[in-house]
Amino acid sequence: MILEIKNLKKKFDNQEVLKDVSLTVDKGEVICVLGSSGSGKSTLLRCINLLNNYDDGEILFNGKNILDANVNELRSKIGMVFQSFNLFNNLNVLKNCMVGQTKVLKKNKEEARAKALETLELVGMSDFINKNVKQLSGGQKQRVAIARSLCMEPDIILFDEPTSALDPEMVGEVLNVIKKVKETGVTMIIVTHEMQFAKEVSSRVLFMNDGVILEDSPTKEFFTNPKNDRTKEFLKRYLDNKVND
Amino acid sequence: MILTGFFGWIGRIISEYSRQILLGIGRTLLLSLVGTVVGFIIACLFSYIKTKKEAGIVGKILKGFVNGYVTIIRGTPMMVQALIFYYSFKMLGVNWDPLTAGLFTVSVNTTAYLTEVLRGGIESVDEGQYEAARSIGMSGFKSMLFIVYPQAIKNSMASIGNEFIVNIKDTSVLNVIGVIEVYNACLMAGNKYYKVVEAMCIAAVIYLIMTLTSSYLLKRLELRIGSPVKEITSSN
């Protein structure tokens, strides 16, 4: 068990965004988190690497309470891929992937460069290493962001709606890269609205609604035989839309 | 007749006082350059204190100090500051010459303005940049140093350059403590013959040449640092 979340609660002002969320994640699992906007999916992810603090409950990472850990060391082991990419605008593609290795992991330049080139190859961005990030398309930016995260060799990567800010035609290239990343065996938690992708890539699906996890089932079971009524409704709407397409 | 007299006096003042005027130009440039560089370095530190989010008790005290400093220095004329610094330090036993006191004053003054300029620059950097840096494990300080500041400084280049140009002109007030910079050198020359207009026209032309040259050079520097890249219009 790489991650264990117990009774997590979080309020923004007076609004409860997470109401008693519990969850365990095993090493190598790929979990998709589905649910409508505002259901607390992103907040859950952001609590795991302490970009948000939480009010109550406990998060154990590799068996240790994350609040007892050195926050910078913790974050170097928990990668994060943002909806809006957040590539470092002052650095080129290669340096975006090197800066964390040299400044946080204290690797030397050659090592960092080698690792950066390896991950950029994996995400198919080898031809762009000297490009300024402003010259990239959204899909390319997100692929570099994934590479930047992989360079830190994290135990787990959190994806916060990685394709929501993309043109439809660029969604596919990013999802394909995530599938490739899956082959490396890294644990992933992916917040997404891409149902088909969730079906293909994940081993387990969580359905969140209004700050609670309503359903936590193996992927196949989730799509074929959901237990919760709200989940059924959500899936039905998705299937209807698909027919209408 | 009047014109030949006018230019005659200008020529006479220049030839007679060329050494003092050249020294004055040197001092004006020294004051503006040192003031802007020292001010910039301290402003980097002050703007960091001012924009730091997770500040402890010490951080809050420092923040209060910086805020007070900026308010007081920006709210009072540099001429008044120069007089206060120069004589109060002398009373405390610091035996400094006017030029050193002038360098001190202009640095203190520029620090306050550039602190605000850099604060604006930092706030113009998307929050996601800092967050992404933190998310790969950089400390708050490293995130600012390696990711936010390079962008903030680049965004502020025009205002920082402007501060240098303002300093070229505003250091003329340091004549009150006896610094012989361009204005003071020209004034002394003019006073000798009661030809203030002629002397001040010389000063004006010198200032104009200095500011125009500086703004040309700064523009080139800005272009180089900014390395203008055509951004794809759609963010996708």
Side-chain angles (χ1 to χ4, degrees):
Chain A
M1 198 156 32
I2 190 167
L3 189 71
E4 186 173 8
I5 299 174
K6 293 183 198 163
N7 309 101
L8 197 69
K9 287 176 191 151
K10 165 78 181 164
K11 264 188 198 170
F12 281 119
D13 297 323
N14 276 324
Q15 206 202 340
E16 270 189 294
V17 237
L18 295 177
K19 306 168 186 168
D20 203 11
V21 170
S22 296
L23 170 70
T24 60
V25 181
D26 284 328
K27 205 168 178 336
E29 268 196 292
V30 176
I31 299 179
C32 279
V33 186
L34 302 177
S36 46
S37 302
S39 56
K41 310 183 297 292
S42 293
T43 309
L44 175 64
L45 280 197
R46 293 171 60 88
C47 283
I48 296 173
N49 72 351
L50 288 174
L51 282 180
N52 279 146
N53 52 8
Y54 44 89
D55 304 321
D56 201 12
E58 233 180 18
I59 300 180
L60 305 178
F61 177 64
N62 286 329
K64 276 186 238 151
N65 190 326
I66 61 169
L67 295 179
D68 297 333
N70 173 313
V71 65
N72 298 323
E73 206 186 315
L74 174 85
R75 285 177 180 148
S76 73
K77 291 179 188 155
I78 302 181
M80 180 101 179
V81 173
F82 298 88
Q83 182 177 346
S84 49
F85 331 124
N86 296 349
L87 287 181
F88 303 133
N89 288 328
N90 56 320
L91 304 174
N92 68 17
V93 167
L94 184 66
K95 285 184 178 152
N96 259 277
C97 296
M98 286 172 64
V99 67
Q101 299 185 72
T102 53
K103 305 299 180 198
V104 179
L105 304 179
K106 307 283 179 206
K107 286 197 204 168
N108 67 39
K109 279 224 163 96
E110 290 72 40
E111 271 180 281
R113 194 184 146 88
K115 181 75 193 169
L117 290 173
E118 183 195 318
T119 55
L120 285 167
E121 169 86 49
L122 179 80
V123 302
M125 290 296 290
S126 298
D127 294 340
F128 297 87
I129 56 170
N130 291 318
K131 278 264 193 297
N132 185 308
V133 296
K134 285 182 180 167
Q135 292 168 295
L136 304 180
S137 72
Q140 291 170 332
K141 280 182 188 173
Q142 195 60 300
R143 279 148 64 191
V144 174
I146 292 169
R148 175 177 70 182
S149 177
L150 280 173
C151 279
M152 303 299 289
E153 298 180 66
D155 293 339
I156 182 167
I157 305 183
L158 313 171
F159 292 82
D160 188 6
E161 303 198 22
T163 59
S164 296
L166 296 175
D167 281 347
E169 54 197 286
M170 288 166 183
V171 170
E173 66 181 66
V174 170
L175 296 182
N176 285 334
V177 164
I178 297 175
K179 283 180 193 163
K180 268 196 192 164
V181 173
K182 182 191 169 182
E183 288 163 21
T184 67
V186 65
T187 313
M188 301 197 277
I189 304 180
I190 308 167
V191 169
T192 185
H193 293 294
E194 301 288 333
M195 305 282 271
Q196 187 55 39
F197 168 70
K199 217 172 182 173
E200 288 167 27
V201 79
S202 65
S203 50
R204 207 169 123 201
V205 176
L206 305 181
F207 179 71
M208 281 187 77
N209 190 43
D210 205 17
V212 286
I213 297 178
L214 282 187
E215 183 128 5
D216 178 354
S217 340
T219 306
K220 206 173 165 197
E221 201 180 312
F222 179 87
F223 283 101
T224 52
N225 188 21
K227 286 168 243 155
N228 189 285
D229 285 343
R230 179 74 185 85
T231 319
K232 282 179 194 157
E233 193 189 318
F234 183 82
L235 281 173
K236 188 171 171 294
R237 229 183 309 153
Y238 157 68
L239 290 171
D240 287 352
N241 281 340
K242 222 179 145 191
V243 172
N244 290 339
D245 277 349
Chain B
M1 194 54 206
I2 293 174
L3 276 183
T4 46
F6 178 79
F7 286 112
W9 277 110
I10 284 187
R12 185 160 172 187
I13 290 172
I14 289 177
S15 64
E16 226 170 283
Y17 280 83
S18 59
R19 202 178 147 269
Q20 283 89 331
I21 291 175
L22 280 174
L23 271 173
I25 293 174
R27 291 202 187 94
T28 292
L29 287 176
L30 181 74
L31 285 162
S32 340
L33 206 63
V34 170
T36 311
V37 171
V38 173
F40 172 74
I41 293 167
I42 306 175
C44 281
L45 180 69
F46 279 14
S47 57
Y48 177 74
I49 293 168
K50 205 173 157 135
T51 53
K52 195 160 164 41
K53 273 181 226 109
E54 310 119 11
I57 291 183
V58 180
K60 276 181 186 146
I61 293 169
L62 286 173
K63 211 178 258 191
F65 166 76
V66 169
N67 284 337
Y69 176 93
V70 170
T71 308
I72 291 169
I73 297 297
R74 292 208 312 165
T76 53
M78 186 155 77
M79 196 192 285
V80 174
Q81 293 159 13
L83 287 166
I84 292 177
F85 291 142
Y86 183 52
Y87 289 109
S88 63
F89 275 71
K90 278 207 151 178
M91 285 190 321
L92 292 170
V94 181
N95 195 13
W96 56 357
D97 57 281
L99 184 63
T100 313
L103 288 168
F104 178 80
T105 307
V106 70
S107 301
V108 163
N109 196 270
T110 308
T111 298
Y113 283 94
L114 288 186
T115 298
E116 280 303 296
V117 164
L118 285 177
R119 180 191 57 78
I122 290 165
E123 281 167 7
S124 74
V125 176
D126 178 36
E127 202 136 334
Q129 297 283 310
Y130 179 78
E131 203 163 65
R134 294 308 303 268
S135 83
I136 59 171
M138 285 195 199
S139 64
F141 179 73
K142 279 184 188 166
S143 305
M144 293 302 278
L145 183 65
F146 297 120
I147 304 302
V148 177
Y149 266 88
Q151 298 180 50
I153 291 168
K154 199 173 116 182
N155 292 348
S156 312
M157 269 316 284
S159 304
I160 295 167
N162 189 48
E163 193 56 32
F164 175 68
I165 290 167
V166 166
N167 275 343
I168 289 177
K169 295 181 288 174
D170 283 6
T171 45
S172 59
V173 303
L174 295 172
N175 75 83
V176 292
I177 54 169
V179 181
I180 304 168
E181 34 62 67
V182 172
Y183 160 78
N184 212 356
C186 291
L187 185 72
M188 280 158 68
N191 278 346
K192 185 177 173 191
Y193 303 106
Y194 301 103
K195 292 294 172 193
V196 175
V197 174
E198 286 82 349
M200 285 305 107
C201 284
I202 297 170
V205 170
I206 294 172
Y207 278 119
L208 200 58
I209 292 170
M210 286 199 285
T211 50
L212 288 178
T213 317
S214 308
S215 58
Y216 171 74
L217 293 175
L218 285 165
K219 193 128 265 153
R220 294 197 47 175
L221 180 72
E222 219 180 296
L223 283 178
R224 177 174 285 194
I225 291 181
S227 56
V229 171
K230 278 223 172 97
E231 188 161 357
I232 297 167
T233 33
S234 153
S235 74
N236 288 313

